[in-house]
Amino acid sequence: YYGYYFNIHPSDIDILIHRSDYLQFKNILNKQGFRHQNFLSPPTSEITFTKNINSQRFCIDIHFQAVRSALNPIFRHPIDPVKMDNLTSEFWRKSISNNSFYFLTREYLLFYYCLNLIFHHGLRGTDLIAQIANIISKENIDWAKFWQLSEKYQMSNFVYYPLSWSSRLFKVKIPLL
């Protein structure tokens, strides 16, 4: 129990999988000692598995969509279902493969973090803002590509907030902001 909502510490690993791979992934996690934590039925677009390691709770969140639908009443459906399916497919197509693992490219990773921070975490905490600032400062972001992606899914207004907070708190340079 965290008490106040804003005290919840966002510390999980998000993994995007195909829905058809869920049972296999669930069995692998269960064999490694992870336990299913969701109590919603049917499950949302995110399913959480946890395991205590050295007295610390470790969470892996399985996603079937590129950005989890928000559970707060303000942003119930940030992207309509068709665009969400398109974005999820685009994430898969634009990922880089390494030994059967897929990683988002820089612009898609930044886009994901911005949307995840605003829709899923409700702008709570500075950890994800710091991650966004770290991506911006360490990676060579193609800002034209990033803004094109944001406009394509009509998310420019939403990514503005995480980017502006990253700029203000961590003094990273963001063109066109």
Side-chain angles (χ1 to χ4, degrees):
Y1 176 74
Y2 295 100
Y4 187 60
Y5 173 76
F6 289 105
N7 291 336
I8 300 171
H9 180 71
S11 59
D12 54 38
I13 294 177
D14 294 339
I15 300 175
L16 178 66
I17 67 169
H18 294 285
R19 191 175 291 274
S20 60
D21 294 332
Y22 172 70
L23 288 178
Q24 180 182 6
F25 209 88
K26 177 183 172 185
N27 289 336
I28 291 169
L29 289 174
N30 284 337
K31 286 179 184 175
Q32 296 300 315
F34 285 87
R35 296 296 167 243
H36 180 259
Q37 293 299 308
N38 294 69
F39 300 105
L40 299 175
S41 182
T44 62
S45 58
E46 174 184 287
I47 299 172
T48 301
F49 289 84
T50 64
K51 177 180 180 178
N52 287 327
I53 301 173
N54 297 329
S55 302
Q56 297 293 315
R57 186 170 168 224
F58 186 73
C59 298
I60 295 178
D61 291 337
I62 305 303
H63 293 262
F64 301 127
Q65 296 176 315
V67 178
R68 178 187 140 173
S69 300
L71 291 180
N72 77 47
I74 298 170
F75 299 120
R76 285 228 180 261
H77 302 286
I79 303 175
D80 70 61
V82 172
K83 283 187 180 178
M84 179 62 77
D85 288 343
N86 292 341
L87 177 59
T88 302
S89 295
E90 190 167 344
F91 270 31
W92 282 110
R93 283 192 318 275
K94 301 293 182 171
S95 297
I96 299 168
S97 176
N98 183 2
N99 295 329
S100 300
F101 286 100
Y102 291 84
F103 301 93
L104 294 175
T105 58
R106 295 180 292 262
E107 294 76 23
Y108 285 87
L109 182 64
L110 180 59
F111 187 66
Y112 170 77
Y113 267 100
C114 287
L115 295 183
N116 193 41
L117 175 63
I118 197 163
F119 292 122
H120 179 52
H121 292 280
L123 290 172
R124 169 183 40 83
T126 56
D127 289 3
L128 291 176
I129 296 171
Q131 280 291 86
I132 290 168
N134 190 42
I135 292 167
I136 293 167
S137 66
K138 301 257 192 239
E139 302 293 338
N140 187 18
I141 301 296
D142 181 338
W143 287 102
K145 187 186 289 186
F146 175 83
W147 289 115
Q148 181 181 22
L149 178 64
S150 299
E151 289 171 14
K152 179 178 181 178
Y153 292 99
Q154 299 172 335
M155 292 288 118
S156 297
N157 291 341
F158 295 112
V159 300
Y160 171 82
Y161 294 102
L163 292 177
S164 65
W165 277 109
S166 296
S167 177
R168 288 178 183 152
L169 293 174
F170 298 100
K171 308 298 184 213
V172 292
K173 301 280 188 231
I174 301 170
L176 304 173
L177 189 62

